[in-house]
Amino acid sequence: MKDNPLILGIETSCDETSAAVLRGNELLSNVISSQIDVHRRFGGVVPEIASRNHLTAILPVIDEALKNAGADKTELDAIGVTYGAGLVGALLVGVSAAKALAYSLGIPLYAVNHIEAHIAANYLSEPALEPPFLAVVASGGHTGVARIDGLNDYTMISSTTDDAIGEAFDKVARAVGLPYPGGPEIDRRAKQGKPSIAFIDRSGKKHNGNELSYSGLKTAVINYLHNLEQRGEQSNIDDICASFQKTAVDMLVDSAMYTVKKTGIKTVVAAGGVSANSYLRERLKIEGVRNGLDVYFPPMSLCTDNAAMIAVRARDMIKEGIAPAALDLNAVSYLKLKSEV
Ligand code: KG4
Ligand code: ZN
C-alpha cells in the first residue's frame, strides 16, 4: 500500500447514510444523508425503515462523496466500512456496498469498529494527537471511558452497566414530550433551565471508575413526572432538562477524572454523538484547566455518525498492517472494544 492511500469510508450503522474520501489527514469529502426526519414521527429509529432508506441512499451518497472529492472510484486504494456495532439490517447495506465495490475495483476492504472510529475522529481535528490518551465515549449505544495505548490498541476501562447516555437523553426527551433525537433538544432546553432537581442522590458517591448506570436516572425522571401528574402540578421542562443533563454528564466526567488520576494519563478526548453536548464540552474544558489536561473534542460535524471517522480508522488500520477483511465479512450488531471490566 502506498504512503498516503486514497480511502473511501462508508457508514450505515443507524440512521445516517454517509460516505467520505480521505487522503492522509486531508478530508476530501464527507457526505451525510440523515434520516432523522423519517424517524421523528415514530419517536425513534425504526430498524426496517432505516435499512430501506440506506438502500436508496447508499449509491448516490457514495457518488456524491467521490464527486465532491474530485476523485474517480478507480483511483481509490482502499475502502473502510462500519461492520458493527449497530442495527444489523442497516449495517448490512453499507457492508454489502463496500464488499461489492472492493471486489469490483480489486482493492482491500477494512472492517471498522464504529466506536473505535468515533474515537479516531479526534485524529482528524487534532493531527498532533498521539496515544496514550483517554476517551470519554458518549454515544447512543456506548458509554464509558476508554484507554488508547496505540493506533490499534483500544480498551474500555469503564462502561455503563445498562442504558447508554445518548439512549437516556433520547428516552427522557420522549418522556417530557420533546422530539427525536432527544439529545440536541435537551441540550437546547437545558440552557433555559436551572439544574435544581436532584433526581438521584450523588452526594458522597465515590467513583470506582466502573460505576456507570443510566437506567436508574432515566427511571427517576419518569417517576418525577408521574408524581407531578398525580398531584396535578405543572412540570418545568427546562429545569428537568438542565437537571437530567447535569447529572448524566457529571457521572461520566467524574468517572473520566477518576481514571485520569488512576492512570496518570493527561490527554482526554471526547467521542460519540453526545460529545456534541454543550455542557459535556464545558465541563471537560473546566476539568482540563483544573487538572492540567489536554482536552480535545471533534468538531460538531464529526461528533454524530459520519463516514470521515470510518475512513480515518481504516487509514490507521492500514498504517499498522492490519489484515484486510475477507469478502465474506458480515455485519455484527453487538461489537465491543476490548475490555478491562
Ligand atoms: O454517535 P451517535 O451519532 O450514534 C451512535 O453511535 O449511537 O450518537 C447519537 C446520540 C443520540 O442519542 C443523540 O440524542 C445524541 O447522540 N446527541 C446528543 C447531542 N447531539 C446528539 N446528546 C446530547 N446533547 C447533544 N447536543
Ligand atoms: Zn455513532
Side-chain angles (χ1 to χ4, degrees):
M1 181 79 61
K2 55 171 110 137
D3 267 358
N4 270 328
L6 191 68
I7 302 170
L8 173 70
I10 298 177
E11 155 66 38
T12 64
S13 68
C14 190
D15 57 348
E16 262 93 33
T17 317
S18 181
V21 179
L22 179 81
R23 188 187 291 282
N25 209 48
E26 195 189 348
L27 183 61
L28 302 176
S29 66
N30 185 28
V31 176
I32 303 170
S33 164
S34 174
Q35 303 177 15
I36 283 177
D37 290 343
V38 178
H39 298 284
R40 184 164 275 155
R41 66 193 174 108
F42 303 105
V45 177
V46 183
E48 181 59 26
I49 295 178
S51 311
R52 286 166 192 239
N53 279 283
H54 282 307
L55 262 182
T56 48
I58 188 75
L59 294 180
V61 164
I62 291 173
D63 282 346
E64 198 180 330
L66 287 165
K67 189 171 138 244
N68 291 356
D72 188 81
K73 61 179 182 297
T74 55
E75 294 172 72
L76 291 171
D77 296 303
I79 297 178
V81 65
T82 310
Y83 79 108
L87 302 169
V88 78
L91 288 164
L92 273 172
V93 177
V95 167
S96 308
K99 286 200 287 194
L101 254 180
Y103 177 69
S104 64
L105 296 170
I107 57 176
L109 171 67
Y110 290 85
V112 172
N113 176 319
H114 184 80
I115 294 302
E116 292 180 355
H118 267 302
I119 298 170
N122 285 281
Y123 289 124
L124 205 51
S125 42
E126 209 49 59
L129 176 67
E130 267 183 34
F133 60 89
L134 298 176
V136 175
V137 177
S139 80
H142 295 80
T143 306
V145 183
R147 178 187 173 125
I148 293 80
D149 287 301
L151 275 191
N152 270 316
D153 195 351
Y154 292 69
T155 310
M156 207 70 189
I157 43 186
S158 71
S159 53
T160 178
T161 49
D162 39 56
D163 291 5
I165 187 169
E167 192 182 350
F169 266 91
D170 293 341
K171 287 178 177 166
V172 165
R174 194 173 176 162
V176 296
L178 296 173
Y180 175 84
E185 297 288 330
I186 290 188
D187 195 350
R188 196 168 52 77
R189 296 293 293 257
K191 291 197 175 94
Q192 299 154 192
K194 290 182 295 299
S196 51
I197 311 160
F199 288 120
I200 51 174
D201 181 14
R202 296 192 70 239
S203 58
K205 197 151 191 152
K206 274 242 179 303
H207 271 270
N208 65 7
N210 297 338
E211 222 178 88
L212 277 169
S213 158
Y214 284 96
S215 171
L217 174 60
K218 172 197 69 187
T219 309
V221 178
I222 292 169
N223 287 344
Y224 174 87
L225 289 168
H226 285 162
N227 280 336
L228 283 186
E229 200 182 323
Q230 277 162 4
R231 293 203 301 266
E233 290 174 20
Q234 279 285 345
S235 54
N236 182 323
I237 294 181
D238 295 342
D239 288 354
I240 294 173
C241 290
S243 307
F244 161 77
Q245 174 176 278
K246 178 166 170 22
T247 312
V249 168
D250 283 351
M251 270 169 22
L252 183 55
V253 176
D254 288 352
S255 175
M257 291 309 119
Y258 170 88
T259 311
V260 163
K261 288 192 185 88
K262 201 171 85 173
T263 59
I265 296 176
K266 294 279 194 185
T267 304
V268 179
V269 308
V274 185
S275 60
N277 183 266
S278 51
Y279 176 65
L280 177 84
R281 293 168 91 94
E282 182 194 315
R283 251 222 75 190
L284 273 180
K285 265 186 220 155
I286 292 170
E287 293 299 339
V289 173
R290 189 181 290 156
N291 299 303
L293 312 175
D294 290 323
V295 174
Y296 303 116
F297 321 95
M300 290 300 195
S301 59
L302 297 181
C303 285
T304 44
D305 290 347
N306 65 85
M309 67 186 196
I310 308 303
V312 173
R313 183 68 196 108
R315 175 200 68 188
D316 292 348
M317 291 169 79
I318 294 169
K319 239 189 236 171
E320 292 277 288
I322 298 278
L327 287 180
D328 62 355
L329 175 69
N330 207 347
V332 179
S333 54
Y334 291 98
L335 185 65
K336 291 184 166 177
L337 296 189
K338 170 174 81 170
S339 172
E340 257 183 20
V341 289

